[in-house]
Structure formats: C-alpha cells, structure tokens
Amino acid sequence: MSVHASDKAPQPILWGNYNIFAYIPDVPGFAAKVLFHCLSHQEWGGRIVQSQQEIADWLGVSRSLVQKGLHHLQLARILLREGNGVYRMNPMVAAFPTAAEADQAIRTMDRAYRLDTADFADRYERAVVEHEAAVKQKAAARALPQAPADLAAHRQRKRPAPKG
C-alpha cells in the first residue's frame, strides 16, 4: 500500500489572526522563539501537540529553555497547557480554517483570557512577579531545616542503643 504525499501534508490554514504582534508583551527572547515555533506548528484552532524536547530539538536549544519559554507564554495567556505535550494558542492569536470559526471561538472564550485589554502587559508583568515570589518562597521553605514535631522522641532515636 502506498501513501500519497498529500496524505502527510499539514492542513492548510486558510485564515490566521496575526494580531499576535500587537499582543506580545515584553517576553524574554527565548519565549518569543517558542511562540513563533508554536504559531508555525499549530493545528486548526491553535492546538499544538509537541513535547518540550521536540520543540527544543527543532529550535536547537535546551529543553529547560523551552520549558521557561512555554511558562512565560502561559503567564501572558497567549498559550494554554492542556496536558503533557499538548498546548492551545489563545483563540485571539490561533489559526482557523475560516474567519467565522475564529470569530466564534473568540466570542465564546473566557473574558479573563482576552488579550485586547488595556492592562494586558500589566497582567503579564504581575503574573511574572507573583510566580517569581512563589518560587523564592518555596526555595526558602526547602532551605530551612524542619524541627521535628516531637523533639523528645527525636532525641531518643538519636541516642545510641545501650550495650548490653
């Protein structure tokens, strides 16, 4: 059985919303690289099915850099994570087969994820600050030695057993 090349070709995207260039906040350069990769590898409706390692291999960067880039795009609400290796572009920047389908997706989306708000960049910056504070707080909590709940029992366990 032979497979025709057109069976393997990607779906043509007939309508794309290129307002993404108006919605990119001041994300780090590596996040912009990941964004452009996702824009060019999305299915209709903005679905992207690629592992972080596949994206890293395609871009020629480390997986950890891709992970950070994806996280920044999620904080900016440009990209949503649906599962392991499955992401979805915000409908306001996703590609659709028709303008009507894009319009329908945008009209039915959660208003909290709209990108055409005056505070879009401020929301992203606040999300980054909050995330960095949470990471520092977790790191500080891990660095502190935890006192045992029952100090007397802890000391008992530390004493050598009597020789007898």
Side-chain angles (χ1 to χ4, degrees):
M1 179 179 162
S2 65
V3 177
H4 193 271
S6 64
D7 295 337
K8 296 288 184 181
Q11 297 172 328
I13 295 175
L14 304 176
W15 192 85
N17 185 344
Y18 299 103
N19 287 335
I20 183 62
F21 301 108
Y23 300 132
I24 299 176
D26 191 15
V27 295
F30 56 86
K33 278 186 176 183
V34 172
L35 172 62
F36 293 134
H37 173 83
C38 291
L39 286 169
S40 66
H41 287 80
Q42 64 180 307
E43 299 171 357
W44 288 348
R47 188 167 184 253
I48 301 143
V49 182
Q50 282 192 320
S51 70
Q52 292 177 1
Q53 190 59 56
E54 289 171 324
I55 297 170
D57 292 344
W58 187 273
L59 294 175
V61 298
S62 69
R63 189 194 64 76
S64 64
L65 200 59
V66 168
Q67 181 181 25
K68 289 176 186 176
L70 289 168
H71 188 71
H72 273 274
L73 297 175
Q74 291 172 55
L75 291 174
R77 298 180 180 183
I78 293 172
L79 189 72
L80 309 172
R81 184 173 183 268
E82 292 186 338
N84 287 339
V86 182
Y87 304 90
R88 185 165 305 273
M89 300 296 297
N90 183 305
M92 295 187 78
V93 297
F96 291 90
T98 67
E101 288 180 58
D103 186 52
Q104 176 65 23
I106 291 169
R107 278 191 278 117
T108 59
M109 69 184 283
D110 184 345
R111 294 205 53 80
Y113 285 89
R114 291 199 60 100
L115 304 177
D116 57 351
T117 61
D119 69 337
F120 170 69
D122 293 334
R123 265 190 337 209
Y124 166 69
E125 290 170 9
R126 277 193 311 272
V128 169
V129 168
E130 289 170 5
H131 171 72
E132 289 172 351
V135 168
K136 285 180 183 176
Q137 186 178 15
K138 285 180 185 177
R142 282 192 304 266
L144 294 175
Q146 299 295 320
D150 183 357
L151 192 54
H154 175 73
R155 288 183 179 145
Q156 283 284 359
R157 287 191 300 269
K158 288 218 161 210
R159 287 190 194 145
K163 295 182 181 178

